[in-house]
Amino acid sequence: MEQGKEELLERIRGAEWGEVPELQNGYALHYAAEELRGDREIVLAAVKQNGYALQFAAEELRGDREFILAAVKQSGDALEYAAEELKGDKEIVLAAVKQSGRALSFAAEELRGDREFVLAAVFALDYAAEEHALKYATEELKGDREIVLAAVKQ
């Protein structure tokens, strides 16, 4: 298994970049043996390259805060694949929303209805994000003048 692990790590790290496009970067985790999907070193390397690789990680790693933070910093929408309890973690969700406004749609309901948090998310939003965090706020907060004003000024 050690040889398989080293080969997979090389692919994830881009050692064979361009040679087998579907195995480039973190997405190689999709093709890895089940036991390697739970290997901390491999999964961390994968999610740092491609946050979406989180969907192929072993369940226990989807509940690991370090992995989720690494994944959402690379791709905010990776929050979708995090364990439910981490979808209510303000630091994780804010990091995700900085990457993608759409990430708020995967956050716990209490964060989508938390005025201070949504306001922070609106201000943190990366200008290039494809969707605005306000879209996923609760209906009550979509009617909050201060939040909407902040959102339109971004």
Side-chain angles (χ1 to χ4, degrees):
M1 180 159 67
E2 195 61 36
Q3 182 180 10
K5 178 179 176 175
E6 292 308 315
E7 182 180 324
L8 182 59
L9 278 169
E10 281 182 37
R11 288 177 187 249
I12 288 170
R13 292 179 177 141
E16 297 179 26
W17 187 257
E19 195 172 304
V20 186
E22 69 273 12
L23 295 181
Q24 289 174 357
N25 292 326
Y27 201 75
L29 194 59
H30 176 73
Y31 302 100
E34 196 65 38
E35 65 270 10
L36 293 179
R37 293 179 186 200
D39 183 287
R40 295 183 68 79
E41 182 182 12
I42 287 175
V43 176
L44 190 56
V47 299
K48 283 182 175 181
Q49 288 289 329
N50 182 340
Y52 285 106
L54 186 61
Q55 67 187 299
F56 307 116
E59 198 67 37
E60 66 271 8
L61 294 182
R62 291 191 208 182
D64 186 302
R65 197 167 189 284
E66 176 188 8
F67 287 90
I68 303 308
L69 265 174
V72 300
K73 285 179 179 178
Q74 200 286 322
S75 176
D77 292 342
L79 184 62
E80 177 179 4
Y81 307 107
E84 288 303 312
E85 64 271 11
L86 293 178
K87 292 179 180 182
D89 182 302
K90 287 184 177 186
E91 182 184 1
I92 288 173
V93 177
L94 194 56
V97 171
K98 283 181 181 181
Q99 251 302 315
S100 168
R102 189 173 94 100
L104 192 59
S105 71
F106 304 118
E109 181 71 28
E110 64 267 14
L111 288 185
R112 290 186 281 129
D114 181 311
R115 187 176 187 283
E116 285 182 43
F117 182 78
V118 172
L119 198 53
V122 165
F123 282 118
L125 187 64
D126 184 342
Y127 179 77
E130 73 283 356
E131 290 188 37
H132 206 287
L134 185 60
K135 179 177 179 178
Y136 302 103
T138 60
E139 290 303 315
E140 178 184 349
L141 293 183
K142 288 178 182 178
D144 183 300
R145 187 176 191 286
E146 183 182 1
I147 290 174
V148 173
L149 188 58
V152 299
K153 288 184 174 182
Q154 288 297 312

